[in-house]
């Protein structure tokens, strides 16, 4: 049984990458650390269990990254996906520190695989974990425990007692029993509220019932709501989230990365009314894939369908669930429950608008449409090579952007703008400082790693003082 009578230097709330980076850093700095993970041990790790890479600045090639990826390009990529809804100071702070993130994780036992080539075009910007997120999580827990971090599972932090900007103690439920944890400093790394459908309904109504939660079902937002109710300054838009085009046949929770569909750029996408609603070929997939979850969330019944033909089958990563196939567009529409005549007309209009070009699935090509609304800017090929196939789509929510406001030292800011004396935050619970909308592949792990390290270092220093 954990020692609930002990006064710890640092309490870390959460069990994913951001929490582990914070716990390891604080422990290495000499602090006594207890980490409270809501999930049972076999489901530990939060959304980090389902990740596979992080985006890192590098001025020259590394063992796992090709070429170079410098600050201004990184910043420009982030600016494009957020539409300017980001704190530039904190964003650049994160970008610069990201250069050291792969090395830190490697020191924690995380193994990276050689740079990748393929449809995601990330070999230059993103370092991939060998074995994926679960291997990362396992390595980080081994390191944390070897250092002497006390890890307690099945522990929901229900309330952090705040007084004049000071975190006094945490009230927790440990295996269903109430306890309190006293600590000199607290680091909140407990994620967003995407798995709390009641809270999501406040902003999305009944549509929230159709959202698939890609990651942990334990992301209930309990700590976030508790802190915001006690005068912690909030940041971010409660309606915004990182979401992708998920297979509509995926589990409603914890389906992970494998349920994401990468077929959109090589298809046309229609909603239940058999209407296209966005440019499928707007930009390369790593920069624009995360807009599609929100787009689908805004469609009738939160459903859409990616329509293509046999030419596209090998242009994207294979799906877990096979595509729905038919020899004619009309037959395909019947299998999807769509208006057959209308789908045939949409495909015919698209085919007529496709312009000659040289197809290249690895970069922006010159294959677009003319006179079509919305246009398809790249990767536009006629859909006329049977068998035709379709993937049904639903929004897959990764994490919400409403969070607590922090400064560059990961200190949580109170409503009066002053930093808390001993409350810090890292990961998804504070990502809204930098991600106001949109998403950049691998950037969530970058934020978690960078601010986890900062929070751990600062909390250990504060505890000593």
């Amino acid at each position: 049984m954990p020692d609930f009578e002990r006064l710890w230097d640092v309490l870390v709330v959460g069990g994913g990458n951001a929490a582990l980076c914070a716990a390891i850093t604080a422990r290495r700095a000499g602090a006594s650390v207890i980490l409270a993970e809501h999930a049972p041990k076999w489901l530990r790790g939060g959304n980090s269990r389902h990740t596979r890479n992080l985006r890192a600045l590098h001025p020259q090639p590394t063992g796992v990254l090709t070429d170079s990826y410098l600050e201004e390009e990184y910043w420009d990529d982030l600016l494009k996906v957020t539409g300017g809804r980001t704190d530039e100071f904190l964003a650049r702070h994160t970008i610069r520190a990201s250069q050291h993130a792969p090395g830190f994780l490697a020191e924690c036992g995380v193994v990276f695989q050689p740079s990748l080539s393929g449809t995601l075009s990330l070999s230059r910007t993103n370092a991939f974990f060998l074995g994926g997120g679960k291997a990362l999580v396992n390595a980080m827990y081994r390191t944390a425990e070897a250092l002497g971090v006390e890890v307690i599972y099945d522990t929901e932090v229900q309330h952090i007692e705040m007084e004049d900007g000071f975190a006094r103690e945490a009230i927790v439920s440990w295996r269903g029993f109430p306890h309190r944890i006293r600590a000199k400093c607290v680091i909140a790394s407990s994620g967003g509220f995407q798995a709390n459908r009641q809270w999501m309904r406040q902003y999305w109504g009944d549509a929230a019932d159709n959202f698939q939660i890609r990651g942990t079902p334990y992301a209930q937002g309990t700590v976030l709501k508790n802190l915001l109710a006690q005068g912690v300054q909030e940041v971010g838009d409660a309606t915004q989230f990182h979401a992708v085009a998920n297979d509509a046949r995926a589990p409603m929770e914890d389906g992970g990365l494998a349920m994401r569909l990468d077929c959109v750029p090589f298809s046309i996408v229609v909603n239940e009314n058999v209407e296209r609603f966005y440019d499928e070929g707007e930009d390369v997939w790593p920069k624009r894939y995360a807009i599609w979850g929100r787009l689908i969330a805004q469609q009738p019944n939160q459903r859409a369908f990616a329509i293509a033909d046999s030419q596209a089958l090998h242009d994207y990563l294979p799906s877990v669930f096979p595509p729905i196939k038919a020899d004619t567009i009309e037959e395909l529409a019947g299998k999807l429950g769509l208006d057959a005549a209308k789908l045939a007309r949409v495909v015919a209009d698209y085919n007529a608008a496709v312009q000659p070009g040289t197809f290249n699935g690895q970069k922006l090509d010159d294959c677009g449409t003319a006179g079509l609304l919305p246009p398809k800017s790249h990767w536009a090929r006629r859909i006329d090579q049977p068998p035709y196939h379709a993937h049904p789509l639903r929004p897959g929510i990764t994490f919400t952007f409403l969070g607590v406001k922090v400064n560059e030292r990961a200190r949580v800011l109170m409503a009066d703008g002053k930093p808390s004396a001993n409350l810090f935050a890292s990961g998804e619970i504070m990502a809204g400082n930098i991600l106001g909308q949109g998403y950049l592949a691998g950037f969530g792990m970058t934020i978690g790693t960078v601010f986890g390290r900062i929070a751990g270092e600062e909390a250990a220093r504060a505890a000593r003082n």
Side-chain angles (χ1 to χ4, degrees), residues 197-404:
R197 293 189 189 275
Q198 183 176 353
W199 194 352
M200 291 287 282
R201 282 191 205 101
Q202 292 181 26
Y203 312 108
W204 287 89
D206 292 341
D209 293 334
N210 292 325
F211 294 168
Q212 294 172 340
I213 309 306
R214 303 176 72 203
T216 176
Y218 293 93
Q220 296 293 319
T222 304
V223 172
L224 173 61
K225 180 171 282 191
N226 178 252
L227 292 176
L228 294 181
Q230 295 186 79
V232 166
Q233 193 173 156
E234 74 173 52
V235 70
D237 182 344
T239 70
Q240 292 285 346
F241 42 57
H242 168 19
V244 304
N246 239 30
D247 195 307
R249 298 162 289 184
M252 291 303 287
E253 292 180 339
D254 218 33
L257 279 170
M259 298 297 110
R260 190 187 84 191
L261 292 172
D262 296 338
C263 55
V264 168
F266 311 110
S267 311
I268 60 170
V269 178
V270 299
N271 60 22
E272 284 191 344
N273 297 330
V274 199
E275 298 164 337
R276 289 179 60 247
F277 51 89
Y278 200 78
D279 180 352
E280 301 91 349
E282 182 181 49
D283 203 345
V284 291
W285 197 230
K287 295 180 183 178
R288 302 306 288 169
Y289 77 96
I291 69 169
W292 279 88
R294 186 176 185 85
L295 288 168
I296 297 166
Q298 296 167 330
Q299 302 309 307
N301 295 316
Q302 295 68 58
R303 283 213 308 166
F305 305 87
I307 311 294
D309 63 13
S310 59
Q311 298 177 89
L313 277 176
H314 300 295
D315 290 326
Y316 57 90
L317 293 174
S319 57
V320 172
F321 296 97
I324 298 165
K325 295 184 179 183
D327 291 328
T328 67
I329 291 294
E330 290 82 359
E331 181 188 358
L332 186 65
K335 291 183 176 182
L336 301 175
L338 300 178
D339 183 315
K342 193 170 184 181
L343 183 60
R345 186 165 60 252
V346 167
V347 171
D349 290 345
Y350 164 75
N351 285 344
V354 171
Q355 300 299 295
T358 302
F359 179 85
N360 188 327
Q362 304 300 310
K363 62 181 182 180
L364 295 176
D365 64 12
D366 60 354
C367 294
T369 59
L372 189 70
L373 290 177
K376 184 169 183 183
S377 300
H378 305 94
W379 310 296
R381 291 178 299 194
R382 290 174 57 86
I383 298 175
D384 59 4
Q385 302 294 315
Y388 302 98
H389 61 266
H391 292 278
L393 310 175
R394 283 251 190 232
I397 314 300
T398 310
F399 65 91
T400 46
F401 289 175
L402 178 68
V404 298

Side-chain angles (χ1 to χ4, degrees), residues 55-233:
R55 184 170 289 251
L57 177 150
H58 55 287
Q60 58 191 16
T62 73
V64 296
L65 290 164
T66 62
D67 299 329
S68 64
Y69 189 46
L70 303 181
E71 180 179 337
E72 290 309 316
E73 183 184 2
Y74 201 146
W75 164 246
D76 186 58
D77 286 343
L78 180 63
L79 199 61
K80 286 177 181 175
V81 299
T82 60
R85 297 178 67 176
T86 182
D87 182 316
E88 182 173 356
F89 176 70
L90 292 181
R92 287 186 179 272
H93 188 59
T94 304
I95 289 168
R96 291 169 190 145
S98 74
Q99 180 176 351
H100 309 292
F104 170 79
L105 294 177
E107 291 171 3
C108 296
V110 177
V111 179
F112 290 87
Q113 66 186 45
S115 60
L116 296 176
S117 61
T119 58
L120 290 179
S121 310
L122 292 173
S123 63
R124 189 171 64 85
T125 58
N126 289 49
F128 280 72
F129 317 125
L130 184 64
K134 196 158 188 179
L136 172 136
V137 165
N138 290 341
M140 299 287 280
Y141 271 103
R142 282 194 298 270
T143 297
E145 290 166 348
L147 289 169
V149 173
E150 177 83 6
V151 177
I152 52 175
Y153 299 102
D154 298 295
T155 305
E156 181 184 18
V157 175
Q158 298 175 328
H159 176 69
I160 297 174
E161 183 65 36
M162 299 291 297
E163 182 180 333
D164 296 327
F166 194 89
R168 293 293 179 187
E169 65 180 13
I171 307 301
V172 308
S173 173
W174 176 72
R175 298 181 180 176
F177 293 93
H179 291 277
R180 69 173 186 164
I181 298 176
R182 296 184 303 126
K184 297 176 183 177
C185 294
V186 176
I187 302 175
S189 306
S190 49
F193 66 93
Q194 62 274 5
N196 187 330
R197 293 189 189 275
Q198 183 176 353
W199 194 352
M200 291 287 282
R201 282 191 205 101
Q202 292 181 26
Y203 312 108
W204 287 89
D206 292 341
D209 293 334
N210 292 325
F211 294 168
Q212 294 172 340
I213 309 306
R214 303 176 72 203
T216 176
Y218 293 93
Q220 296 293 319
T222 304
V223 172
L224 173 61
K225 180 171 282 191
N226 178 252
L227 292 176
L228 294 181
Q230 295 186 79
V232 166
Q233 193 173 156

Side-chain angles (χ1 to χ4, degrees), residues 410-452:
R411 286 185 181 269
V412 171
L413 302 183
M414 305 306 294
D416 61 6
K418 295 179 181 178
S420 168
N422 69 336
L423 178 64
F424 304 84
S426 64
E428 292 171 2
I429 197 171
M430 50 67 58
N433 288 270
I434 301 167
L435 289 168
Q437 69 178 33
Y439 190 68
L440 199 59
F443 196 51
M445 285 294 289
T446 302
I447 294 172
T449 303
V450 167
F451 272 88

Side-chain angles (χ1 to χ4, degrees), residues 13-70:
V13 183
N17 174 66
L20 289 160
C21 288
I24 290 169
T25 301
R27 184 71 190 111
R28 284 177 173 170
S32 60
V33 181
I34 184 168
L35 181 148
E37 162 66 297
H38 187 184
K41 185 174 182 179
W42 68 281
L43 280 175
R44 68 185 182 182
N47 282 348
S48 301
R49 283 192 305 121
H50 295 299
T51 192
R52 58 180 175 176
N53 63 80
L54 88 165
R55 184 170 289 251
L57 177 150
H58 55 287
Q60 58 191 16
T62 73
V64 296
L65 290 164
T66 62
D67 299 329
S68 64
Y69 189 46
L70 303 181

